[in-house]
Amino acid sequence: RATMASMLRYPGIAQYIGRHNRFRMFQKVDPGEVDYGLEFFNQFACVLMQGGLSRKAVATGYHLLMRFLVPSANSEIGRMEPARHEQFIKGRLAGLDRKQYRGALYVAREFAQLDSQQTFEAGLSMLVDGIAQLK
């Protein structure tokens, strides 16, 4: 949650990492400067290690977390969440054939109301539960 908040506070972080993936974990820093990408990687690995996860599970968990955090932040930064476009979505779905678009119409209202906070919390919960299941 703190990392997501930082990415939203400083939107260039998520955008840069999304475009320059090799700097997702390591940053270009001058001698004596802190490499916060490496610090984050180290701290996250330590947390998962304390949970008794294997090396492979720790590595996979970190990778999955970053694959979730960066796009989640960029989705919010880019105003891609459905709730920001609720009227447009509802307008496009209104009047569609109920048989042909049964699935879309079934979830239309709930989908159009999804915001980034709901989506982030649901995804984070699933991700944490999934990481705990890694061997």
Side-chain angles (χ1 to χ4, degrees), residues 29-117:
V29 296
D30 290 328
E33 290 183 333
V34 176
D35 183 338
Y36 288 104
L38 178 56
E39 288 296 319
F40 179 80
F41 176 63
N42 181 59
Q43 291 299 318
F44 185 76
C46 286
V47 167
L48 293 183
M49 287 169 51
Q50 290 173 2
L53 296 177
S54 70
R55 289 181 175 137
K56 175 96 172 150
V58 171
T60 302
Y62 170 80
H63 184 61
L64 288 170
L65 179 71
M66 292 308 292
R67 288 185 64 170
F68 173 70
L69 283 171
V70 173
S72 292
N74 280 324
S75 180
E76 172 65 14
I77 293 163
R79 303 178 54 85
M80 297 170 60
E81 297 302 316
R84 293 184 185 264
H85 310 283
E86 182 175 0
Q87 296 310 314
F88 173 78
I89 293 168
K90 286 180 175 179
R92 290 296 303 235
L93 295 173
L96 291 178
D97 181 275
R98 290 205 148 314
K99 287 183 181 177
Q100 184 176 357
Y101 296 102
R102 187 173 63 113
L105 293 171
Y106 177 75
V107 300
R109 185 181 65 192
E110 288 75 9
F111 178 80
Q113 293 173 350
L114 286 174
D115 63 27
S116 60
Q117 187 64 32

Side-chain angles (χ1 to χ4, degrees), residues 10-23:
Y10 305 103
I13 294 171
Q15 293 169 329
Y16 184 82
I17 292 171
R19 286 192 300 268
H20 305 281
N21 190 46
R22 66 185 178 145
F23 296 115

